[in-house]
Amino acid sequence: MDRYKILGLFWGPVVLAVALSLLFYWHLRPDLRTIRVPSVPQGYREIPQVSPEKIRYIPREPVISEAFLLLDKPVPPSPRSVLELKAVLKIGQEKICKIDGELLKEGQKIGPFKIVFIGDNYVELYGRQKKIRLLVGEKLSF
């Protein structure tokens, strides 16, 4: 009989703790039917399945997907004019530059700019009260 008293002293609190834990769990457990699951914002549902190459950027705020997708439509030209120095050529002692498909020499004008100097890989332009150095491959918008 003494042996059962020793086992009761040891296992009694353990059994009581497990029983109370199960009782509290049963009565205090969360009801999974009433928990609100957050839904995806409507803006994210409007994004079509496109390849990553066609997406320019995704803004932080959800917006209409057409606003930030690169569509297959041609991009309208910007209202500003752009000059691009394509190449600098040296033929004998004469230097020629190619800007937007036109071959030009020093002293000639293109748009509001005048070609002041043609270097090895750059062209110095003067216009609008300032001097601008344009490197090969660089674009100048005005």
Side-chain angles (χ1 to χ4, degrees):
M1 192 66 150
D2 289 333
R3 180 180 164 141
Y4 293 115
K5 286 183 185 179
I6 294 174
L7 286 176
L9 286 174
F10 176 74
W11 287 107
V14 173
V15 171
L16 183 63
V18 169
L20 287 175
S21 297
L22 288 174
L23 182 68
F24 281 127
Y25 173 73
W26 186 259
H27 287 290
L28 299 177
R29 75 180 187 277
D31 187 10
L32 298 179
R33 292 172 288 161
T34 60
I35 293 179
R36 266 194 76 189
V37 177
S39 62
V40 177
Q42 186 64 30
Y44 293 112
R45 289 189 190 140
E46 293 177 3
I47 297 175
Q49 296 294 326
V50 295
S51 66
E53 296 87 28
K54 290 190 176 186
I55 297 176
R56 284 187 184 160
Y57 67 94
I58 297 179
R60 292 177 188 231
E61 300 85 26
V63 294
I64 299 172
S65 61
E66 286 83 18
F68 60 89
L69 287 179
L70 177 63
L71 302 175
D72 292 333
K73 299 175 187 174
V75 178
S78 64
R80 300 183 76 169
S81 297
V82 177
L83 296 176
E84 182 179 2
L85 179 61
K86 303 278 186 178
V88 175
L89 308 168
K90 185 175 181 182
I91 302 172
Q93 297 297 321
E94 189 176 13
K95 290 188 178 180
I96 299 172
C97 65
K98 185 175 183 180
I99 299 177
D100 287 340
E102 293 183 45
L103 293 175
L104 303 164
K105 299 177 186 176
E106 288 181 7
Q108 290 184 322
K109 291 185 100 179
I110 181 160
F113 300 101
K114 181 178 180 181
I115 298 174
V116 179
F117 180 74
I118 299 176
D120 291 334
N121 64 345
Y122 67 92
V123 172
E124 287 184 358
L125 303 170
Y126 181 77
R128 299 193 176 178
Q129 310 299 325
K130 59 183 173 181
K131 195 179 229 184
I132 299 169
R133 180 177 278 195
L134 193 62
L135 298 172
V136 174
E138 200 172 35
K139 293 182 180 181
L140 172 67
S141 63
F142 59 96

